[in-house]
Amino acid sequence: MGSTFDMVDLIRAKRDGRRLGDAEIDWLIRAYTDGAVGDDQMAALAMAIVFRGLDAGELSTWTAAMIDTGERMDFSALRRPVVDKHSTGGVGDMITLPLAPIVAACGAAVPQLSGRGLGHTGGTLDKLEAIPGWRADLAPAEMLHLLDEVGAVICSPGPGLAPADRKLYALRDVTGTVESIPLIASSIMSKKIAEGTPALVLDVKTGSGAFMRERERAVELARTMVGLGRSAGVATVAYVSAMEAPLGRAAGNAIEVEQAVEVLNGRGPADVVELTLTLAREMLHLAGIEADPAEALRSGRALEVWRAMIRGQGGDPDAPLPRARHQQVIAAPRSGVLTRLDAYAVGVAAWRLGAGRARQGDPVQAAAGVRWHAGAGEEVAAGQPLFTLLTDTPERFARAEQALAGGWEIGEDAGPPQPLVLERID
Ligand code: URA
């Protein structure tokens, strides 16, 4: 292992604003992964980093050290150019589901290693598990075969990919140390760089439903991740997109899959289609493929790839999706314009209805969630349904309604429409 250090000295150093040296960082990441440094000391260091940050040199050493704790994947034998996408997560953000098959239908290989939801944001794997038979765990050979034949897989990362991050992220989650730009950037990029994708498009969310509520912080996170990707030889471009209102018309698991299938059938909500095509164009550009993703959608080729991708992972794309046993409608109390629809409120309501989990490992309800029948800026008539709440456990309705209360307003004028895609950073 080379030199060893005293973790207390390193915690004190960061607490007092001193930069950590390369050998110190290499040692502490390795020692934490191996169990020689415990959760208590690592939590203290993470909190010191929340306040003191890491400079560019520390951050690149930290990220490289996390990658070195595990294995790297190798896509070099694939016959298609590889490109990946990552979103920092939001409410109703099911973009990966239509995006991966659209980009694959244009000739790329899209290895989407995805996660599960925690808190008010949903997880791609939880959504897909609503499809009967579908499985998230694929052996590496199975993944490579599907990438070559179908062009897209959405699966869970194996335990060998950046194991330091797996452990550290779980610790940050319970110690109030998630919201740190260097810790988030190194966490996301260590997994993407270890995955071995040569090209990556990032969608960094900002607004009430995002990790980074303030736009300046989202831009800083985007720049930091682009810098890490570039210096590791990954062609990386980031978009900063709005998450003040939820995306689309549904937040939940099965209901977001249903919406993805609508997009693939050419009928999805305009905001979801806009963001999907923006990210798809960028991914194709980075992969060096000249193709029109809108055409892949129109022609039905993307839908065919979706069906093959779901079948390839054991799912039945024609099976009916689970339906909630109970539903409750919230109607508009008066006519006017929906001037505000708050992503965080909708996300928490969906979570409380059972779509999300409070602790890692908890089960989720496939059919739970929230549908909203008008988006921000749209006219509504008194008595029309505004929201449908869905759950298998009706005792959850009251808490979900509480979460939604104050999360929307009906007024006279919504003002000019807010852009969805705010910035492109390369
Ligand atoms: N997603 C990750 O993978 N890591 C973070 O730190 C935050 C979001």
Side-chain angles (χ1 to χ4, degrees):
M1 182 185 290
S3 19
T4 59
F5 298 89
D6 182 343
M7 188 66 175
V8 179
D9 290 343
L10 304 189
I11 296 167
R12 282 206 191 106
K14 187 45 73 182
R15 181 197 66 191
D16 296 342
R18 175 171 82 71
R19 80 181 295 282
L20 300 175
D22 291 351
E24 291 172 329
I25 293 173
D26 286 341
W27 172 81
L28 76 88
I29 295 285
R30 173 60 64 191
Y32 177 59
T33 311
D34 294 345
V37 162
D39 277 347
D40 46 2
Q41 291 188 311
M42 194 60 174
L45 182 67
M47 189 57 88
I49 292 173
V50 168
F51 288 111
R52 294 292 190 171
L54 295 175
D55 71 18
E58 289 176 299
L59 179 61
S60 81
T61 305
W62 183 282
T63 308
M66 296 229 291
I67 295 168
D68 286 345
T69 58
E71 63 207 26
R72 284 174 184 252
M73 296 182 69
D74 181 9
F75 297 126
S76 58
L78 293 180
R79 291 167 294 172
R80 298 163 174 252
V82 174
V83 58
D84 196 5
K85 166 257 183 187
H86 180 85
S87 160
T88 58
V91 180
D93 182 4
M94 35 53 79
I95 301 287
T96 293
L97 307 190
L99 179 64
I102 290 172
V103 175
C106 295
V110 187
Q112 264 307 150
L113 301 183
S114 298
R116 296 185 185 281
L118 196 63
H120 73 280
T121 61
T124 301
L125 302 181
D126 295 328
K127 295 172 198 185
L128 285 166
E129 279 175 353
I131 301 173
W134 187 87
R135 63 194 161 83
D137 292 322
L138 296 181
E142 221 177 349
M143 181 180 179
L144 290 174
H145 174 74
L146 281 174
L147 280 173
D148 236 1
E149 294 300 318
V150 178
V153 290
I154 302 178
C155 60
S156 61
L161 205 75
D165 178 63
R166 184 174 284 244
K167 211 173 159 188
L168 182 54
Y169 189 51
L171 178 70
R172 288 167 55 215
D173 196 42
V174 294
T175 54
T177 52
V178 169
E179 294 88 351
S180 147
I181 288 177
L183 292 180
I184 296 175
S186 55
S187 165
I188 292 173
M189 294 306 292
S190 63
K191 287 173 283 197
K192 291 295 167 187
I193 296 166
E195 174 198 290
T197 185
L200 175 66
V201 175
L202 299 163
D203 179 14
V204 180
K205 303 289 190 193
T206 180
S208 82
F211 272 125
M212 294 288 138
R213 289 180 170 229
E214 301 89 26
R215 178 162 168 179
E216 305 74 57
R217 301 239 321 139
V219 168
E220 195 188 331
L221 174 62
R223 289 217 171 97
T224 307
M225 291 197 289
V226 168
L228 280 175
R230 290 276 160 104
S231 56
V234 181
T236 311
V237 171
Y239 284 80
V240 176
S241 69
M243 186 38 71
E244 205 59 63
L247 269 173
R249 290 303 173 96
N253 297 310
I255 54 178
E256 287 192 49
V257 172
E258 201 175 281
Q259 190 169 271
V261 175
E262 275 169 26
V263 172
L264 290 163
N265 275 299
R267 296 191 301 267
D271 58 348
V272 173
V273 175
E274 178 193 340
L275 189 54
T276 304
L277 291 179
T278 301
L279 299 176
R281 283 191 196 100
E282 191 69 63
M283 288 171 77
L284 292 169
H285 174 71
L286 290 184
I289 295 174
E290 268 189 47
D292 178 7
E295 208 285 315
L297 203 51
R298 265 195 309 275
S299 64
R301 283 187 293 124
L303 180 63
E304 278 315 303
V305 174
W306 161 266
R307 294 173 59 78
M309 178 181 85
I310 297 302
R311 263 193 244 107
Q313 294 184 231
D316 176 357
D318 298 313
L321 290 167
R323 296 224 164 263
R325 284 202 282 273
H326 301 270
Q327 66 173 49
Q328 186 164 303
V329 171
I330 299 177
R334 67 184 184 97
S335 299
V337 174
L338 189 64
T339 51
R340 193 168 68 84
L341 177 61
D342 182 69
Y344 182 71
V346 172
V348 172
W351 173 33
R352 289 187 180 170
L353 287 163
R357 50 173 70 79
R359 280 181 305 271
Q360 267 170 9
D362 282 357
V364 297
Q365 291 185 22
V370 179
R371 286 185 200 279
W372 47 106
H373 304 286
E378 288 181 14
E379 290 199 2
V380 296
Q384 95 168 54
L386 269 189
F387 300 98
T388 304
L389 313 185
L390 302 160
T391 186
D392 293 333
T393 39
E395 61 277 13
R396 293 172 178 263
F397 281 132
R399 297 247 302 137
E401 274 188 75
Q402 275 165 15
L404 268 182
W408 53 277
E409 269 167 48
I410 296 176
E412 303 310 320
D413 179 13
Q418 298 302 309
L420 178 61
V421 177
L422 302 171
E423 275 183 61
R424 176 181 181 277
I425 291 161
D426 65 3

